[in-house]
């Protein structure tokens, strides 16, 4: 067997090669397909469930969760080699050059989902800006690295190597910069943050285990499959914890909404009482003012009658005087 391996950055070690009978490989492959297939089926079911919730509830975090699950399932399917076998068997060489893109997609949707889940836009604006900056850096560098992989996957350009290093660092710190604001949200009483924090800590631990796992010829078949599928277990456990957290978030939101409604109802009742009080005071003032106007009107009419009486009296006196004068003249 002659093997020629090239790599852009890391030093290479001779590959660990085991030789097994075909019958054993068929049995092991069948067991692995059953376990991994069940896990991918669970991911698709969870994604469909939250897609239905998004359609009916119109909550954006559900849609981000759907994209996160599907992109992660695609990345695991691609990493395990089953994507090249089952989905794009005639384009394996092309998609093998898109490793960086396929791995980056779940990280991008994870950051978007984390912002929405933790509600960082209103609660922690500084961390919101930090995560947005990391997200923009990934989005800007990802097309460059993808084009480089498609054109020349073995390029030794210093610029492209620097891009890969920065992009890799941005992907690695994505989980860390979401864990920190989750802790801050928990300290401020945001209970769903516990699920987010626990899910990411467990997932990171399983990533470390998956990365440090080595083949052991003395392990049983089921142990080998479980060890190989540890990352899948971590992803599913992360999704389930996220689901519990989103359920807790829904309950919290519903409770806050009910409390807000009760406060609004109480305020409306207070406003109604105040309105009745103001109306009564206005009615009393109107009645008082009406009485004053009626009294003033009566006084004015009395004065008018008195003036008319005096006028008539003066007219009579004037007529008598004129009659006397006329009589005297005659």
């Amino acid at each position: 067997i002659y093997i020629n391996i090239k790599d852009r950055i890391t030093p290479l070690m001779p590959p660990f090669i085991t030789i097994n009978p075909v019958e054993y490989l068929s049995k092991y492959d069948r067991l692995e397909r059953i376990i991994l297939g069940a896990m991918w089926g669970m991911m698709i079911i969870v994604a469909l469930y939250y897609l239905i919730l998004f359609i009916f509830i119109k909550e954006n975090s559900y849609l981000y969760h759907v994209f996160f699950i599907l992109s992660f399932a695609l990345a695991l399917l691609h990493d395990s080699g089953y994507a090249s076998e089952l989905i794009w068997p005639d384009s394996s060489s092309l998609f093998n050059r898109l490793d960086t893109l396929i791995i980056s997609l779940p990280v991008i949707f994870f950051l978007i989902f984390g912002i929405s889940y933790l509600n960082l836009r209103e609660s922690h604006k500084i961390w919101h800006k930090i995560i947005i900056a990391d997200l923009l850096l990934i989005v800007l560098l990802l097309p460059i690295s993808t084009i480089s992989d498609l054109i020349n996957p073995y390029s030794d350009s210093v610029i492209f190597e620097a891009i890969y290093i920065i992009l890799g660092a941005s992907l690695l710190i994505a989980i860390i910069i979401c864990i920190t604001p989750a802790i801050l949200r928990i300290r401020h009483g945001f209970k769903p943050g516990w699920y987010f924090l626990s899910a990411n800590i467990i997932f990171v631990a399983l990533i470390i285990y998956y990365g440090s796992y080595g083949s052991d010829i003395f392990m049983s078949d089921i142990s080998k499959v479980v060890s190989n599928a540890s990352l899948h277990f971590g992803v599913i456990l992360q999704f389930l914890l996220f689901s519990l957290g989103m359920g807790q978030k829904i309950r919290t939101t519903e409770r806050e909404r009910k409390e807000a409604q009760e406060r609004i109802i109480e305020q409306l009742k207070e406003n109604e009482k105040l309105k009745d009080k103001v109306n009564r005071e206005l009615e009393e003032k109107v009645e008082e003012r009406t009485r004053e106007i009626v009294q003033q009107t009566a006084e004015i009419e009395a004065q008018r009658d008195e003036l008319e009486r005096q006028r008539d009296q003066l007219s009579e006196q004037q007529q008598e005087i004129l009659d006397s004068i006329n009589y005297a003249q005659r």
Side-chain angles (χ1 to χ4, degrees):
I1 300 175
Y2 174 73
I3 301 176
N4 183 15
I5 304 176
K6 294 182 180 181
D7 191 88
R8 287 194 296 266
I9 300 175
T10 58
L12 297 177
M13 299 295 292
F16 180 80
I17 300 175
T18 58
I19 300 176
N20 297 298
V22 174
E23 293 80 4
Y24 170 78
L25 292 177
S26 299
K27 179 182 177 182
Y28 178 85
D29 182 67
R30 185 164 53 252
L31 179 63
E32 184 182 58
R33 286 173 184 269
I34 292 173
I35 294 178
L36 296 185
M39 293 184 181
W40 284 317
M42 291 176 62
M43 295 180 195
I44 293 175
I45 291 173
V46 174
L48 290 176
Y49 171 72
Y50 279 99
L51 180 61
I52 294 173
L53 284 181
F54 168 74
I55 293 174
F56 285 98
I57 301 179
K58 303 300 182 181
E59 174 65 35
N60 290 334
S61 58
Y62 295 153
L63 184 62
Y64 302 148
H65 198 205
V66 170
F67 286 133
F68 175 52
I69 294 173
L70 294 179
S71 61
F72 223 135
L74 178 64
L76 293 175
L77 196 66
H78 174 72
D79 180 69
S80 62
Y82 288 109
S84 297
E85 176 186 349
L86 302 174
I87 301 178
W88 47 71
D90 298 328
S91 306
S92 299
S93 59
L94 172 63
F95 282 93
N96 286 338
R97 296 182 181 185
L98 299 177
D99 283 340
T100 305
L101 175 62
I102 295 175
I103 294 173
S104 300
L105 286 178
V107 178
I108 292 173
F109 290 117
F110 170 76
L111 292 175
I112 298 174
F113 171 72
I115 292 173
S116 177
Y117 181 93
L118 298 173
N119 196 21
L120 297 180
R121 186 186 298 272
E122 287 78 19
S123 60
H124 292 282
K125 294 183 179 180
I126 295 178
W127 279 103
H128 176 258
K129 293 179 180 179
I130 293 174
I131 295 176
I132 289 296
D134 185 61
L135 182 62
L136 290 176
L137 183 62
I138 295 173
V139 172
L140 290 175
L141 296 180
L142 187 57
I144 300 175
S145 63
T146 302
I147 293 173
S148 174
D149 288 336
L150 290 174
I151 296 176
N152 188 5
Y154 307 111
S155 174
D156 295 330
S157 172
V158 176
I159 297 177
F160 287 119
E161 288 184 2
I163 290 175
Y164 279 109
I165 293 174
I166 297 173
L167 180 60
S170 302
L171 296 175
L172 289 176
I173 66 175
I175 296 179
I176 298 176
I177 62 177
C178 277
I179 288 178
T180 304
I183 296 174
L184 296 176
R185 292 284 281 143
I186 292 172
R187 292 179 60 185
H188 288 83
F190 184 68
K191 293 183 179 180
W194 281 109
Y195 295 98
F196 189 86
L197 180 63
S198 302
N200 288 317
I201 291 176
I202 294 173
F203 180 68
V204 170
L206 288 174
I207 287 179
I208 295 174
Y209 170 76
Y210 179 78
S212 61
Y213 163 72
S215 178
D216 188 349
I217 60 175
F218 299 104
M219 293 177 65
S220 64
D221 292 345
I222 187 66
S223 298
K224 291 180 181 179
V225 173
V226 170
S227 298
N228 286 332
S230 59
L231 189 59
H232 298 69
F233 282 120
V235 171
I236 292 176
L237 184 58
Q238 187 185 44
F239 294 160
L240 293 177
L241 288 174
F242 282 162
S243 300
L244 293 175
M246 294 176 72
Q248 177 69 28
K249 186 179 178 182
I250 292 173
R251 290 192 296 270
T252 302
T253 303
E254 184 66 19
R255 185 177 66 253
E256 292 176 351
R257 186 181 65 83
K258 289 183 178 179
E259 292 175 353
Q261 286 181 345
E262 291 176 357
R263 288 195 299 268
I264 292 174
I265 292 173
E266 290 296 327
Q267 185 64 40
L268 290 175
K269 290 180 179 178
E270 292 294 329
N271 292 341
E272 189 66 24
K273 292 179 181 178
L274 181 60
K275 175 184 172 183
D276 294 338
K277 181 180 178 181
V278 171
N279 288 336
R280 286 195 301 270
E281 292 178 353
L282 288 174
E283 289 176 357
E284 292 175 357
K285 290 182 178 180
V286 169
E287 291 177 357
E288 182 181 356
R289 184 61 179 165
T290 302
R291 287 194 299 270
E292 292 178 356
I293 293 173
V294 170
Q295 183 179 359
Q296 291 176 357
T297 303
E299 293 177 354
I300 292 172
E301 290 178 350
Q303 293 176 359
R304 183 196 62 190
D305 294 340
E306 178 65 20
L307 290 174
E308 290 179 352
R309 187 185 63 79
Q310 292 178 359
R311 183 197 61 188
D312 295 340
Q313 185 178 3
L314 289 175
S315 297
E316 291 177 358
Q317 292 177 354
Q318 184 180 12
Q319 186 63 39
E320 290 178 355
I321 293 172
L322 290 175
D323 291 342
S324 299
I325 294 173
N326 292 330
Y327 177 76
Q329 287 178 349
R330 284 197 299 271

